[in-house]
Amino acid sequence: MDARADIRVGVLGCGMISADHFRAWAGCRGASVVAVCDPDRRRAEDRAAEFGIQAVYTAPEAMLAAGGLDAVDIITPRQTHATLVRLAADHGVHALCEKPLCPTYEEARALMQGVGGRVRVMVNENWRFRAYFRQIGEWIRAGRLGTPVQARLSLWRSNLIPRADGTVIALQRQPFVATEPRYLVAESLIHELDTVRSLFGEVEVVSARLARASTDVVGEDAAAILLETRAGMPLVVEGVLSAAGHAPRAPNRMEIAGTRCSVVLEGAVLRLFGAEEEELRYDEDAVRQGSFDASVQHFVDQLRAGGPHETSAEDQLRTLALVERTYELAGPARPLTRRRTAVNA
Ligand SMILES: NC(=O)c1ccc[n+]([C@@H]2O[C@H](COP(=O)([O-])OP(=O)(O)OC[C@H]3O[C@@H](n4cnc5c(N)ncnc54)[C@H](O)[C@@H]3O)[C@@H](O)[C@H]2O)c1
């Protein structure tokens, strides 16, 4: 890799979330996207046209075989990640890979054993890069909370409740989640689990419960996970996607009780209160895009500097272990409603 030239990046997968990645790459210092690939040629061509990228492929093997890449950004369904990371490693190409690195902890562990340090692999756990979580982290490290005593991170949304015309926002956005046996925790709360690790250090899952209210998905859409930090602090990560009255894509709510100050994050407003008071207001859309920008920039900066990635594949294994333990302890999701067909019959 030439130390002065931009890192040349190929993007694999031009679906829904790739829009946020392409915007991040467009503003990234020290890297340029030079090739895109999606089996759906139209999608690849549309992104290439929008972002001025010359080379368009429909097969990842062809894109890698053409050479000239330093890194790939893998933004494809979770079942394809291992094959694509291996393909990149076989070509000596570094990888930024969307979460979850693999559908299960064991597959991810086997993958990284196979890669064996030949290339750098970072996972796009962008949630922890959100500006308000970074701010909370700074407050904790500066001792402004005193001793953190208890915390809760929640994701309450209504995007699985059918609209009047029968359409379901979550499924329009990501049709594949309808048939995923592991839904809310593996797809979404993995971010929250990673975020609490970034704030409080390593945690253990003490117990977990999963349920399903929607008749349109097979996996869990409600989850409550009780965790414990190394210091013994109780911590709850929870989520529900059929919460009537809440916004379809409501942001996280977080509460932390501290012996000096407590923290509440609600509606993208962050408050520190107790021994001192501070209130910060965020634009949720800017925070969201900013987290992709920061994650992509971190990938590039650490590749260039040869430094460690905060959300390396090895780090992701620790988050995936929490996901795995959650499913193990909770067992199958309990159905809270009968399937729509049964109700209508
Ligand atoms: N970080 C986040 O906030 C976030 C948010 C949503 C999704 N995701 C993750 O991003 C990934 C993609 O999710 P999405 O919602 O964009 O899915 P999507 O289905 O909208 O897009 C996936 C794209 O990958 C393409 N594809 C499939 N196999 C391919 C292959 N072998 N090579 C190249 N392209 C291939 C598909 O044709 C499709 O266009 C998933 O792992 C998901 O969990 C992350």
PDB file of all heavy atoms in Angstrom, residues 12-18 37-40 43 60 75-78 80-81 84 98-100 124 126-127 173-174 176 187 191 292, ligand 1:
ATOM      1  N   LEU A  12     -18.857  -4.266  -1.785  1.00  0.00           N
ATOM      2  CA  LEU A  12     -19.632  -5.468  -2.098  1.00  0.00           C
ATOM      3  C   LEU A  12     -21.009  -5.327  -1.468  1.00  0.00           C
ATOM      4  O   LEU A  12     -21.133  -5.323  -0.237  1.00  0.00           O
ATOM      5  CB  LEU A  12     -18.921  -6.701  -1.524  1.00  0.00           C
ATOM      6  CG  LEU A  12     -17.585  -7.067  -2.181  1.00  0.00           C
ATOM      7  CD1 LEU A  12     -16.781  -8.017  -1.293  1.00  0.00           C
ATOM      8  CD2 LEU A  12     -17.837  -7.710  -3.539  1.00  0.00           C
ATOM      9  N   GLY A  13     -22.033  -5.200  -2.297  1.00  0.00           N
ATOM     10  CA  GLY A  13     -23.399  -5.065  -1.788  1.00  0.00           C
ATOM     11  C   GLY A  13     -23.880  -3.632  -1.892  1.00  0.00           C
ATOM     12  O   GLY A  13     -23.312  -2.729  -1.285  1.00  0.00           O
ATOM     13  N   CYS A  14     -24.924  -3.430  -2.700  1.00  0.00           N
ATOM     14  CA  CYS A  14     -25.439  -2.073  -2.940  1.00  0.00           C
ATOM     15  C   CYS A  14     -26.908  -1.991  -2.535  1.00  0.00           C
ATOM     16  O   CYS A  14     -27.725  -1.395  -3.238  1.00  0.00           O
ATOM     17  CB  CYS A  14     -25.254  -1.700  -4.407  1.00  0.00           C
ATOM     18  SG  CYS A  14     -23.521  -1.658  -4.898  1.00  0.00           S
ATOM     19  N   GLY A  15     -27.249  -2.600  -1.397  1.00  0.00           N
ATOM     20  CA  GLY A  15     -28.632  -2.592  -0.926  1.00  0.00           C
ATOM     21  C   GLY A  15     -28.943  -1.401  -0.042  1.00  0.00           C
ATOM     22  O   GLY A  15     -28.312  -0.344  -0.145  1.00  0.00           O
ATOM     23  N   MET A  16     -29.914  -1.613   0.856  1.00  0.00           N
ATOM     24  CA  MET A  16     -30.471  -0.526   1.654  1.00  0.00           C
ATOM     25  C   MET A  16     -29.416   0.277   2.424  1.00  0.00           C
ATOM     26  O   MET A  16     -29.281   1.466   2.245  1.00  0.00           O
ATOM     27  CB  MET A  16     -31.505  -1.135   2.620  1.00  0.00           C
ATOM     28  CG  MET A  16     -32.366  -0.150   3.343  1.00  0.00           C
ATOM     29  SD  MET A  16     -31.736   0.409   4.927  1.00  0.00           S
ATOM     30  CE  MET A  16     -31.644  -1.067   5.889  1.00  0.00           C
ATOM     31  N   ILE A  17     -28.621  -0.418   3.252  1.00  0.00           N
ATOM     32  CA  ILE A  17     -27.740   0.332   4.161  1.00  0.00           C
ATOM     33  C   ILE A  17     -26.480   0.836   3.447  1.00  0.00           C
ATOM     34  O   ILE A  17     -25.737   1.653   3.988  1.00  0.00           O
ATOM     35  CB  ILE A  17     -27.390  -0.518   5.411  1.00  0.00           C
ATOM     36  CG1 ILE A  17     -27.075   0.390   6.616  1.00  0.00           C
ATOM     37  CG2 ILE A  17     -26.259  -1.490   5.151  1.00  0.00           C
ATOM     38  CD1 ILE A  17     -28.246   1.168   7.121  1.00  0.00           C
ATOM     39  N   SER A  18     -26.268   0.374   2.202  1.00  0.00           N
ATOM     40  CA  SER A  18     -25.080   0.832   1.472  1.00  0.00           C
ATOM     41  C   SER A  18     -25.147   2.335   1.207  1.00  0.00           C
ATOM     42  O   SER A  18     -24.108   2.985   1.056  1.00  0.00           O
ATOM     43  CB  SER A  18     -24.906   0.062   0.159  1.00  0.00           C
ATOM     44  OG  SER A  18     -25.861   0.467  -0.800  1.00  0.00           O
ATOM     45  N   CYS A  37     -19.920  -3.788  -6.541  1.00  0.00           N
ATOM     46  CA  CYS A  37     -20.382  -5.101  -6.979  1.00  0.00           C
ATOM     47  C   CYS A  37     -21.705  -5.442  -6.305  1.00  0.00           C
ATOM     48  O   CYS A  37     -21.866  -5.243  -5.097  1.00  0.00           O
ATOM     49  CB  CYS A  37     -19.323  -6.137  -6.594  1.00  0.00           C
ATOM     50  SG  CYS A  37     -19.845  -7.841  -6.879  1.00  0.00           S
ATOM     51  N   ASP A  38     -22.645  -5.934  -7.097  1.00  0.00           N
ATOM     52  CA  ASP A  38     -23.887  -6.495  -6.561  1.00  0.00           C
ATOM     53  C   ASP A  38     -24.427  -7.435  -7.631  1.00  0.00           C
ATOM     54  O   ASP A  38     -24.403  -7.082  -8.820  1.00  0.00           O
ATOM     55  CB  ASP A  38     -24.913  -5.373  -6.265  1.00  0.00           C
ATOM     56  CG  ASP A  38     -26.030  -5.848  -5.339  1.00  0.00           C
ATOM     57  OD1 ASP A  38     -26.768  -6.785  -5.724  1.00  0.00           O
ATOM     58  OD2 ASP A  38     -26.152  -5.289  -4.231  1.00  0.00           O
ATOM     59  N   PRO A  39     -24.899  -8.630  -7.250  1.00  0.00           N
ATOM     60  CA  PRO A  39     -25.486  -9.527  -8.256  1.00  0.00           C
ATOM     61  C   PRO A  39     -26.637  -8.852  -8.990  1.00  0.00           C
ATOM     62  O   PRO A  39     -26.946  -9.213 -10.132  1.00  0.00           O
ATOM     63  CB  PRO A  39     -25.991 -10.724  -7.440  1.00  0.00           C
ATOM     64  CG  PRO A  39     -25.442 -10.578  -6.068  1.00  0.00           C
ATOM     65  CD  PRO A  39     -24.926  -9.188  -5.898  1.00  0.00           C
ATOM     66  N   ASP A  40     -27.270  -7.898  -8.324  1.00  0.00           N
ATOM     67  CA  ASP A  40     -28.321  -7.100  -8.954  1.00  0.00           C
ATOM     68  C   ASP A  40     -27.623  -5.927  -9.668  1.00  0.00           C
ATOM     69  O   ASP A  40     -27.300  -4.913  -9.059  1.00  0.00           O
ATOM     70  CB  ASP A  40     -29.276  -6.598  -7.856  1.00  0.00           C
ATOM     71  CG  ASP A  40     -30.457  -5.825  -8.413  1.00  0.00           C
ATOM     72  OD1 ASP A  40     -30.313  -5.202  -9.486  1.00  0.00           O
ATOM     73  OD2 ASP A  40     -31.510  -5.830  -7.754  1.00  0.00           O
ATOM     74  N   ARG A  43     -28.728  -2.268  -9.232  1.00  0.00           N
ATOM     75  CA  ARG A  43     -28.354  -1.619  -7.967  1.00  0.00           C
ATOM     76  C   ARG A  43     -26.909  -1.121  -8.008  1.00  0.00           C
ATOM     77  O   ARG A  43     -26.608  -0.014  -7.594  1.00  0.00           O
ATOM     78  CB  ARG A  43     -28.486  -2.605  -6.805  1.00  0.00           C
ATOM     79  CG  ARG A  43     -29.905  -2.861  -6.386  1.00  0.00           C
ATOM     80  CD  ARG A  43     -29.941  -3.718  -5.148  1.00  0.00           C
ATOM     81  NE  ARG A  43     -31.321  -3.911  -4.748  1.00  0.00           N
ATOM     82  CZ  ARG A  43     -31.697  -4.548  -3.651  1.00  0.00           C
ATOM     83  NH1 ARG A  43     -30.802  -5.058  -2.836  1.00  0.00           N
ATOM     84  NH2 ARG A  43     -32.961  -4.672  -3.355  1.00  0.00           N
ATOM     85  N   PRO A  60     -18.404 -11.012  -6.984  1.00  0.00           N
ATOM     86  CA  PRO A  60     -17.291 -10.593  -6.118  1.00  0.00           C
ATOM     87  C   PRO A  60     -15.956 -11.172  -6.591  1.00  0.00           C
ATOM     88  O   PRO A  60     -14.926 -10.484  -6.542  1.00  0.00           O
ATOM     89  CB  PRO A  60     -17.656 -11.169  -4.747  1.00  0.00           C
ATOM     90  CG  PRO A  60     -19.116 -11.445  -4.800  1.00  0.00           C
ATOM     91  CD  PRO A  60     -19.476 -11.682  -6.223  1.00  0.00           C
ATOM     92  N   ILE A  75     -21.183  -5.233   2.486  1.00  0.00           N
ATOM     93  CA  ILE A  75     -22.484  -4.721   2.959  1.00  0.00           C
ATOM     94  C   ILE A  75     -23.570  -5.642   2.423  1.00  0.00           C
ATOM     95  O   ILE A  75     -24.517  -5.214   1.763  1.00  0.00           O
ATOM     96  CB  ILE A  75     -22.707  -3.262   2.485  1.00  0.00           C
ATOM     97  CG1 ILE A  75     -21.408  -2.466   2.450  1.00  0.00           C
ATOM     98  CG2 ILE A  75     -23.755  -2.573   3.360  1.00  0.00           C
ATOM     99  CD1 ILE A  75     -21.521  -1.100   1.784  1.00  0.00           C
ATOM    100  N   THR A  76     -23.400  -6.930   2.668  1.00  0.00           N
ATOM    101  CA  THR A  76     -24.278  -7.964   2.109  1.00  0.00           C
ATOM    102  C   THR A  76     -24.990  -8.698   3.248  1.00  0.00           C
ATOM    103  O   THR A  76     -24.661  -8.482   4.418  1.00  0.00           O
ATOM    104  CB  THR A  76     -23.409  -8.955   1.302  1.00  0.00           C
ATOM    105  OG1 THR A  76     -22.440  -9.514   2.198  1.00  0.00           O
ATOM    106  CG2 THR A  76     -22.696  -8.272   0.157  1.00  0.00           C
ATOM    107  N   PRO A  77     -25.937  -9.596   2.939  1.00  0.00           N
ATOM    108  CA  PRO A  77     -26.598 -10.347   4.013  1.00  0.00           C
ATOM    109  C   PRO A  77     -25.596 -11.132   4.861  1.00  0.00           C
ATOM    110  O   PRO A  77     -24.568 -11.593   4.359  1.00  0.00           O
ATOM    111  CB  PRO A  77     -27.531 -11.289   3.252  1.00  0.00           C
ATOM    112  CG  PRO A  77     -27.751 -10.626   1.926  1.00  0.00           C
ATOM    113  CD  PRO A  77     -26.487  -9.906   1.618  1.00  0.00           C
ATOM    114  N   ARG A  78     -25.939 -11.308   6.147  1.00  0.00           N
ATOM    115  CA  ARG A  78     -24.990 -11.907   7.095  1.00  0.00           C
ATOM    116  C   ARG A  78     -24.489 -13.289   6.664  1.00  0.00           C
ATOM    117  O   ARG A  78     -23.364 -13.653   6.931  1.00  0.00           O
ATOM    118  CB  ARG A  78     -25.596 -11.950   8.504  1.00  0.00           C
ATOM    119  CG  ARG A  78     -26.816 -12.851   8.648  1.00  0.00           C
ATOM    120  CD  ARG A  78     -27.375 -12.851  10.070  1.00  0.00           C
ATOM    121  NE  ARG A  78     -28.445 -11.881  10.249  1.00  0.00           N
ATOM    122  CZ  ARG A  78     -29.435 -12.011  11.139  1.00  0.00           C
ATOM    123  NH1 ARG A  78     -29.462 -13.030  11.957  1.00  0.00           N
ATOM    124  NH2 ARG A  78     -30.388 -11.100  11.239  1.00  0.00           N
ATOM    125  N   THR A  80     -23.570 -14.287   3.881  1.00  0.00           N
ATOM    126  CA  THR A  80     -22.531 -14.220   2.836  1.00  0.00           C
ATOM    127  C   THR A  80     -21.202 -13.664   3.367  1.00  0.00           C
ATOM    128  O   THR A  80     -20.197 -13.693   2.653  1.00  0.00           O
ATOM    129  CB  THR A  80     -22.982 -13.308   1.677  1.00  0.00           C
ATOM    130  OG1 THR A  80     -23.116 -11.967   2.174  1.00  0.00           O
ATOM    131  CG2 THR A  80     -24.319 -13.734   1.083  1.00  0.00           C
ATOM    132  N   HIS A  81     -21.204 -13.131   4.599  1.00  0.00           N
ATOM    133  CA  HIS A  81     -20.012 -12.408   5.083  1.00  0.00           C
ATOM    134  C   HIS A  81     -18.749 -13.275   5.105  1.00  0.00           C
ATOM    135  O   HIS A  81     -17.675 -12.839   4.672  1.00  0.00           O
ATOM    136  CB  HIS A  81     -20.272 -11.826   6.480  1.00  0.00           C
ATOM    137  CG  HIS A  81     -21.291 -10.725   6.489  1.00  0.00           C
ATOM    138  ND1 HIS A  81     -21.785 -10.163   7.650  1.00  0.00           N
ATOM    139  CD2 HIS A  81     -21.915 -10.063   5.483  1.00  0.00           C
ATOM    140  CE1 HIS A  81     -22.672  -9.226   7.356  1.00  0.00           C
ATOM    141  NE2 HIS A  81     -22.771  -9.146   6.039  1.00  0.00           N
ATOM    142  N   LEU A  84     -17.166 -13.891   1.751  1.00  0.00           N
ATOM    143  CA  LEU A  84     -16.579 -12.682   1.158  1.00  0.00           C
ATOM    144  C   LEU A  84     -15.322 -12.231   1.911  1.00  0.00           C
ATOM    145  O   LEU A  84     -14.357 -11.769   1.296  1.00  0.00           O
ATOM    146  CB  LEU A  84     -17.629 -11.564   1.092  1.00  0.00           C
ATOM    147  CG  LEU A  84     -18.816 -11.892   0.157  1.00  0.00           C
ATOM    148  CD1 LEU A  84     -19.891 -10.809   0.225  1.00  0.00           C
ATOM    149  CD2 LEU A  84     -18.346 -12.090  -1.290  1.00  0.00           C
ATOM    150  N   GLU A  98     -19.928  -5.550   7.454  1.00  0.00           N
ATOM    151  CA  GLU A  98     -21.105  -5.189   8.249  1.00  0.00           C
ATOM    152  C   GLU A  98     -21.322  -6.212   9.367  1.00  0.00           C
ATOM    153  O   GLU A  98     -20.880  -7.355   9.272  1.00  0.00           O
ATOM    154  CB  GLU A  98     -22.358  -5.095   7.354  1.00  0.00           C
ATOM    155  CG  GLU A  98     -22.773  -3.683   6.998  1.00  0.00           C
ATOM    156  CD  GLU A  98     -23.053  -2.781   8.212  1.00  0.00           C
ATOM    157  OE1 GLU A  98     -23.210  -3.281   9.335  1.00  0.00           O
ATOM    158  OE2 GLU A  98     -23.100  -1.558   8.014  1.00  0.00           O
ATOM    159  N   LYS A  99     -22.002  -5.776  10.411  1.00  0.00           N
ATOM    160  CA  LYS A  99     -22.385  -6.690  11.476  1.00  0.00           C
ATOM    161  C   LYS A  99     -23.597  -7.490  11.039  1.00  0.00           C
ATOM    162  O   LYS A  99     -24.297  -7.027  10.145  1.00  0.00           O
ATOM    163  CB  LYS A  99     -22.679  -5.958  12.794  1.00  0.00           C
ATOM    164  CG  LYS A  99     -23.520  -4.705  12.725  1.00  0.00           C
ATOM    165  CD  LYS A  99     -24.827  -4.628  12.015  1.00  0.00           C
ATOM    166  CE  LYS A  99     -25.982  -5.448  12.491  1.00  0.00           C
ATOM    167  NZ  LYS A  99     -27.240  -5.101  11.769  1.00  0.00           N
ATOM    168  N   PRO A 100     -23.926  -8.619  11.641  1.00  0.00           N
ATOM    169  CA  PRO A 100     -23.000  -9.403  12.442  1.00  0.00           C
ATOM    170  C   PRO A 100     -21.953 -10.034  11.529  1.00  0.00           C
ATOM    171  O   PRO A 100     -22.258 -10.368  10.387  1.00  0.00           O
ATOM    172  CB  PRO A 100     -23.914 -10.476  13.056  1.00  0.00           C
ATOM    173  CG  PRO A 100     -25.060 -10.609  12.087  1.00  0.00           C
ATOM    174  CD  PRO A 100     -25.235  -9.278  11.447  1.00  0.00           C
ATOM    175  N   ASN A 124     -18.266  -3.265  11.027  1.00  0.00           N
ATOM    176  CA  ASN A 124     -18.904  -1.946  11.092  1.00  0.00           C
ATOM    177  C   ASN A 124     -19.915  -1.889  12.240  1.00  0.00           C
ATOM    178  O   ASN A 124     -21.120  -1.893  12.018  1.00  0.00           O
ATOM    179  CB  ASN A 124     -19.579  -1.604   9.766  1.00  0.00           C
ATOM    180  CG  ASN A 124     -20.118  -0.181   9.768  1.00  0.00           C
ATOM    181  OD1 ASN A 124     -19.391   0.751  10.132  1.00  0.00           O
ATOM    182  ND2 ASN A 124     -21.378   0.016   9.420  1.00  0.00           N
ATOM    183  N   ASN A 126     -21.054   0.539  13.956  1.00  0.00           N
ATOM    184  CA  ASN A 126     -21.039   2.009  13.930  1.00  0.00           C
ATOM    185  C   ASN A 126     -21.801   2.633  15.083  1.00  0.00           C
ATOM    186  O   ASN A 126     -21.588   3.797  15.422  1.00  0.00           O
ATOM    187  CB  ASN A 126     -21.598   2.508  12.596  1.00  0.00           C
ATOM    188  CG  ASN A 126     -22.992   1.975  12.327  1.00  0.00           C
ATOM    189  OD1 ASN A 126     -23.190   0.766  12.289  1.00  0.00           O
ATOM    190  ND2 ASN A 126     -23.951   2.852  12.170  1.00  0.00           N
ATOM    191  N   TRP A 127     -22.728   1.855  15.712  1.00  0.00           N
ATOM    192  CA  TRP A 127     -23.605   2.437  16.741  1.00  0.00           C
ATOM    193  C   TRP A 127     -22.789   3.115  17.835  1.00  0.00           C
ATOM    194  O   TRP A 127     -23.086   4.213  18.274  1.00  0.00           O
ATOM    195  CB  TRP A 127     -24.449   1.318  17.359  1.00  0.00           C
ATOM    196  CG  TRP A 127     -25.864   1.665  17.648  1.00  0.00           C
ATOM    197  CD1 TRP A 127     -26.347   2.112  18.851  1.00  0.00           C
ATOM    198  CD2 TRP A 127     -26.993   1.582  16.777  1.00  0.00           C
ATOM    199  NE1 TRP A 127     -27.702   2.295  18.773  1.00  0.00           N
ATOM    200  CE2 TRP A 127     -28.126   1.971  17.508  1.00  0.00           C
ATOM    201  CE3 TRP A 127     -27.156   1.212  15.437  1.00  0.00           C
ATOM    202  CZ2 TRP A 127     -29.405   2.001  16.955  1.00  0.00           C
ATOM    203  CZ3 TRP A 127     -28.421   1.239  14.892  1.00  0.00           C
ATOM    204  CH2 TRP A 127     -29.522   1.635  15.645  1.00  0.00           C
ATOM    205  N   ARG A 173     -38.333  -1.961   4.639  1.00  0.00           N
ATOM    206  CA  ARG A 173     -36.953  -1.515   4.699  1.00  0.00           C
ATOM    207  C   ARG A 173     -35.996  -2.699   4.554  1.00  0.00           C
ATOM    208  O   ARG A 173     -35.005  -2.632   3.846  1.00  0.00           O
ATOM    209  CB  ARG A 173     -36.748  -0.835   6.056  1.00  0.00           C
ATOM    210  CG  ARG A 173     -35.739   0.237   6.054  1.00  0.00           C
ATOM    211  CD  ARG A 173     -35.721   1.020   7.340  1.00  0.00           C
ATOM    212  NE  ARG A 173     -34.410   1.605   7.476  1.00  0.00           N
ATOM    213  CZ  ARG A 173     -33.442   1.080   8.193  1.00  0.00           C
ATOM    214  NH1 ARG A 173     -33.650  -0.006   8.886  1.00  0.00           N
ATOM    215  NH2 ARG A 173     -32.256   1.656   8.225  1.00  0.00           N
ATOM    216  N   GLN A 174     -36.296  -3.803   5.253  1.00  0.00           N
ATOM    217  CA  GLN A 174     -35.423  -4.980   5.229  1.00  0.00           C
ATOM    218  C   GLN A 174     -36.279  -6.247   5.096  1.00  0.00           C
ATOM    219  O   GLN A 174     -36.554  -6.920   6.090  1.00  0.00           O
ATOM    220  CB  GLN A 174     -34.612  -5.062   6.527  1.00  0.00           C
ATOM    221  CG  GLN A 174     -33.595  -3.943   6.691  1.00  0.00           C
ATOM    222  CD  GLN A 174     -32.704  -4.206   7.895  1.00  0.00           C
ATOM    223  OE1 GLN A 174     -33.167  -4.177   9.021  1.00  0.00           O
ATOM    224  NE2 GLN A 174     -31.433  -4.484   7.647  1.00  0.00           N
ATOM    225  N   PHE A 176     -35.674  -9.181   4.255  1.00  0.00           N
ATOM    226  CA  PHE A 176     -35.078 -10.457   4.683  1.00  0.00           C
ATOM    227  C   PHE A 176     -35.329 -10.766   6.157  1.00  0.00           C
ATOM    228  O   PHE A 176     -35.275 -11.921   6.569  1.00  0.00           O
ATOM    229  CB  PHE A 176     -33.571 -10.475   4.375  1.00  0.00           C
ATOM    230  CG  PHE A 176     -32.739  -9.535   5.220  1.00  0.00           C
ATOM    231  CD1 PHE A 176     -32.222  -9.957   6.438  1.00  0.00           C
ATOM    232  CD2 PHE A 176     -32.461  -8.241   4.796  1.00  0.00           C
ATOM    233  CE1 PHE A 176     -31.453  -9.106   7.213  1.00  0.00           C
ATOM    234  CE2 PHE A 176     -31.696  -7.372   5.563  1.00  0.00           C
ATOM    235  CZ  PHE A 176     -31.192  -7.807   6.782  1.00  0.00           C
ATOM    236  N   GLU A 187     -29.890  -8.812  14.704  1.00  0.00           N
ATOM    237  CA  GLU A 187     -29.876  -7.759  13.690  1.00  0.00           C
ATOM    238  C   GLU A 187     -29.720  -6.363  14.298  1.00  0.00           C
ATOM    239  O   GLU A 187     -28.988  -5.539  13.766  1.00  0.00           O
ATOM    240  CB  GLU A 187     -31.163  -7.825  12.842  1.00  0.00           C
ATOM    241  CG  GLU A 187     -31.254  -6.837  11.693  1.00  0.00           C
ATOM    242  CD  GLU A 187     -30.119  -6.961  10.671  1.00  0.00           C
ATOM    243  OE1 GLU A 187     -29.580  -8.063  10.490  1.00  0.00           O
ATOM    244  OE2 GLU A 187     -29.762  -5.924  10.067  1.00  0.00           O
ATOM    245  N   HIS A 191     -26.041  -4.061  18.233  1.00  0.00           N
ATOM    246  CA  HIS A 191     -25.456  -2.717  18.316  1.00  0.00           C
ATOM    247  C   HIS A 191     -25.459  -2.212  19.757  1.00  0.00           C
ATOM    248  O   HIS A 191     -24.496  -1.613  20.221  1.00  0.00           O
ATOM    249  CB  HIS A 191     -26.282  -1.722  17.490  1.00  0.00           C
ATOM    250  CG  HIS A 191     -26.076  -1.827  16.014  1.00  0.00           C
ATOM    251  ND1 HIS A 191     -24.848  -1.750  15.424  1.00  0.00           N
ATOM    252  CD2 HIS A 191     -26.963  -1.963  14.999  1.00  0.00           C
ATOM    253  CE1 HIS A 191     -24.985  -1.832  14.108  1.00  0.00           C
ATOM    254  NE2 HIS A 191     -26.255  -1.968  13.823  1.00  0.00           N
ATOM    255  N   PHE A 292     -21.660   6.362  10.727  1.00  0.00           N
ATOM    256  CA  PHE A 292     -21.082   5.646   9.577  1.00  0.00           C
ATOM    257  C   PHE A 292     -19.796   6.348   9.131  1.00  0.00           C
ATOM    258  O   PHE A 292     -18.794   5.703   8.839  1.00  0.00           O
ATOM    259  CB  PHE A 292     -22.082   5.588   8.406  1.00  0.00           C
ATOM    260  CG  PHE A 292     -23.191   4.593   8.611  1.00  0.00           C
ATOM    261  CD1 PHE A 292     -24.378   4.968   9.213  1.00  0.00           C
ATOM    262  CD2 PHE A 292     -23.043   3.271   8.220  1.00  0.00           C
ATOM    263  CE1 PHE A 292     -25.401   4.049   9.420  1.00  0.00           C
ATOM    264  CE2 PHE A 292     -24.056   2.341   8.416  1.00  0.00           C
ATOM    265  CZ  PHE A 292     -25.243   2.735   9.028  1.00  0.00           C
TER     266      PHE A 292
HETATM  267  N1  LIG B   1     -24.725  -0.860  10.718  1.00  0.00           N
HETATM  268  C1  LIG B   1     -26.006  -0.666  10.608  1.00  0.00           C
HETATM  269  O1  LIG B   1     -26.576   0.242  11.201  1.00  0.00           O
HETATM  270  C2  LIG B   1     -26.812  -1.593   9.727  1.00  0.00           C
HETATM  271  C3  LIG B   1     -28.138  -1.274   9.405  1.00  0.00           C
HETATM  272  C4  LIG B   1     -28.834  -2.142   8.546  1.00  0.00           C
HETATM  273  C5  LIG B   1     -28.211  -3.276   8.053  1.00  0.00           C
HETATM  274  N2  LIG B   1     -26.943  -3.571   8.434  1.00  0.00           N
HETATM  275  C6  LIG B   1     -26.258  -4.789   7.953  1.00  0.00           C
HETATM  276  O2  LIG B   1     -25.826  -4.571   6.618  1.00  0.00           O
HETATM  277  C7  LIG B   1     -25.904  -5.787   5.861  1.00  0.00           C
HETATM  278  C8  LIG B   1     -26.759  -5.540   4.619  1.00  0.00           C
HETATM  279  O3  LIG B   1     -28.043  -5.112   5.027  1.00  0.00           O
HETATM  280  P1  LIG B   1     -29.060  -4.365   4.041  1.00  0.00           P
HETATM  281  O4  LIG B   1     -30.223  -3.987   4.896  1.00  0.00           O
HETATM  282  O5  LIG B   1     -28.357  -3.338   3.234  1.00  0.00           O
HETATM  283  O6  LIG B   1     -29.497  -5.592   3.102  1.00  0.00           O
HETATM  284  P2  LIG B   1     -30.095  -5.510   1.604  1.00  0.00           P
HETATM  285  O7  LIG B   1     -30.757  -6.821   1.398  1.00  0.00           O
HETATM  286  O8  LIG B   1     -30.875  -4.264   1.401  1.00  0.00           O
HETATM  287  O9  LIG B   1     -28.785  -5.387   0.699  1.00  0.00           O
HETATM  288  C9  LIG B   1     -27.850  -6.438   0.546  1.00  0.00           C
HETATM  289  C10 LIG B   1     -27.283  -6.356  -0.885  1.00  0.00           C
HETATM  290  O10 LIG B   1     -26.246  -7.315  -0.996  1.00  0.00           O
HETATM  291  C11 LIG B   1     -26.330  -7.890  -2.295  1.00  0.00           C
HETATM  292  N3  LIG B   1     -25.610  -9.154  -2.283  1.00  0.00           N
HETATM  293  C12 LIG B   1     -26.045 -10.371  -1.878  1.00  0.00           C
HETATM  294  N4  LIG B   1     -25.058 -11.281  -1.998  1.00  0.00           N
HETATM  295  C13 LIG B   1     -23.982 -10.624  -2.522  1.00  0.00           C
HETATM  296  C14 LIG B   1     -22.668 -11.020  -2.870  1.00  0.00           C
HETATM  297  N5  LIG B   1     -22.245 -12.280  -2.723  1.00  0.00           N
HETATM  298  N6  LIG B   1     -21.815 -10.083  -3.364  1.00  0.00           N
HETATM  299  C15 LIG B   1     -22.221  -8.795  -3.513  1.00  0.00           C
HETATM  300  N7  LIG B   1     -23.461  -8.368  -3.197  1.00  0.00           N
HETATM  301  C16 LIG B   1     -24.321  -9.267  -2.685  1.00  0.00           C
HETATM  302  C17 LIG B   1     -27.826  -7.999  -2.541  1.00  0.00           C
HETATM  303  O11 LIG B   1     -28.125  -8.149  -3.929  1.00  0.00           O
HETATM  304  C18 LIG B   1     -28.324  -6.681  -1.964  1.00  0.00           C
HETATM  305  O12 LIG B   1     -28.336  -5.644  -2.931  1.00  0.00           O
HETATM  306  C19 LIG B   1     -26.448  -6.848   6.832  1.00  0.00           C
HETATM  307  O13 LIG B   1     -25.378  -7.546   7.419  1.00  0.00           O
HETATM  308  C20 LIG B   1     -27.159  -6.015   7.896  1.00  0.00           C
HETATM  309  O14 LIG B   1     -27.194  -6.646   9.166  1.00  0.00           O
HETATM  310  C21 LIG B   1     -26.228  -2.743   9.234  1.00  0.00           C
END
